[in-house]
Amino acid sequence: MEAGSLQMSDIAPTDDSWDSRTRRLLGDVAAERLAHAKVAVIGTGGVGGYAVETLARSGVGNLIVIDADNVAESNLNRQLIALKSTIGKSKVELFRQRCRDINPQIEVMAIKEFVTPDNAAELIGTQVDYVIDAIDTVAPKIAVITHCLINHIPIISSMGAGGRTDPAKIGYFDISETREDGLARAVRQRLKKSGMRHALKVVASTEAPRRRAVIELNEQNKRSSYGTIITIPAIFGIYLANHVIMKLIE
């Protein structure tokens, strides 16, 4: 064999375990940290669903997923577990099954409940390493954020993803830096009114939502929403999960 040619002994053995590519990139120590971590994802829709998927495929070993909704036909354009065959089924139960199908060793606590100011503390508890807030209604969102800040639980929150189309405008911000975002504005005002002046890491977009995409609603804690396509919520969810993963392995 010519000089400089690879010998068979120079080639690393192939590892076909499900997380071998993760371990090759991050290392075994980091992979074990993820395997022993517990993360709560609150809201498993267009944003939260991609966060759950990313955490599970990255090897996070313990998840709490909280959402009261069942899959609706209007979810088909953007939500991971939304299929014709899953319409009417519980989102959190579908994600529990999906995560176990990815990693049979994962522990997933599926909680099919609405988060309210009265039950947020009980649902989340204090024995979690990180919380991802993917709620799109103000009162429950404030309850989750407040619980985490008071109890020094690391949290990252999603701001508004609807009505937007430009992935390049998405980024990490402190909530004080957000602009063109009605949800972020409402959260800032509520936190300020309640005396909460802590830093809060968020995923947000600097793109103004398209006004023609507004959908008028008559729901508890939510009066309007925006039309959306899969790209922006998916990127929001992946950004949320990636931030948590990097923090867990520091």
Side-chain angles (χ1 to χ4, degrees):
M1 188 175 290
E2 295 180 4
S5 298
L6 283 174
Q7 304 290 328
M8 289 302 294
S9 59
D10 296 327
I11 302 173
T14 300
D15 185 348
D16 290 329
S17 62
W18 80 272
D19 64 344
S20 61
R21 299 299 179 94
T22 302
R23 289 177 178 271
R24 181 59 63 94
L25 176 65
L26 302 180
D28 288 337
V29 171
E32 290 305 313
R33 287 180 182 172
L34 294 176
H36 289 92
K38 179 183 286 187
V39 179
V41 181
I42 308 170
T44 58
V47 172
Y50 275 88
V52 172
E53 178 95 356
T54 303
L55 293 171
R57 290 189 184 275
S58 299
V60 172
N62 300 272
L63 295 177
I64 301 171
V65 289
I66 306 173
D67 197 312
D69 288 346
N70 296 327
V71 175
E73 187 157 4
S74 61
N75 301 151
L76 289 170
N77 78 320
R78 68 196 184 284
Q79 296 190 19
L80 268 173
I81 39 74
L83 306 167
K84 286 289 186 180
S85 60
T86 62
I87 290 174
K89 296 182 180 179
S90 164
K91 291 181 181 180
V92 293
E93 180 57 27
L94 288 166
F95 270 113
R96 188 189 69 82
Q97 295 171 13
R98 183 178 177 92
C99 291
R100 290 295 302 275
D101 214 14
I102 294 167
N103 174 14
Q105 280 72 53
I106 196 171
E107 295 290 335
V108 181
M109 180 183 294
I111 302 176
K112 192 178 189 299
E113 288 193 44
F114 286 108
V115 176
T116 71
D118 294 327
N119 69 10
E122 180 182 357
L123 292 178
I124 300 167
T126 57
Q127 302 303 307
V128 291
D129 297 301
Y130 232 103
V131 169
I132 290 178
D133 156 36
I135 305 172
D136 60 359
T137 51
V138 177
K141 197 174 193 73
I142 293 295
V144 168
I145 294 169
T146 301
H147 170 71
C148 291
L149 294 179
I150 288 174
N151 291 282
H152 306 288
I153 301 169
I155 180 173
I156 185 167
S157 275
S158 171
M159 295 297 113
R164 296 163 174 89
T165 59
D166 188 351
K169 300 293 180 64
I170 300 168
Y172 297 111
F173 304 91
D174 184 81
I175 193 165
S176 63
E177 302 169 332
T178 54
R179 300 291 182 270
E180 303 290 356
D181 192 320
L183 178 59
R185 183 167 54 252
V187 170
R188 283 199 311 271
Q189 292 171 348
R190 295 281 191 95
L191 291 175
K192 183 178 179 180
K193 187 175 180 179
S194 64
M196 303 293 292
R197 299 181 181 276
H198 301 67
L200 176 64
K201 179 73 73 174
V202 303
V203 173
S205 172
T206 58
E207 178 185 7
R210 300 188 179 195
R211 296 301 174 187
R212 69 171 183 272
V214 172
I215 302 168
E216 298 299 331
L217 302 173
N218 187 23
E219 299 177 1
Q220 185 179 5
N221 300 316
K222 191 174 183 181
R223 294 291 175 262
S224 65
S225 184
Y226 288 94
T228 186
I229 57 173
I230 189 171
T231 51
I232 304 303
I235 295 170
F236 265 59
I238 292 169
Y239 265 51
L240 291 166
N242 190 75
H243 174 83
V244 171
I245 291 162
M246 293 301 106
K247 288 295 183 182
L248 290 174
I249 66 174
E250 281 183 351

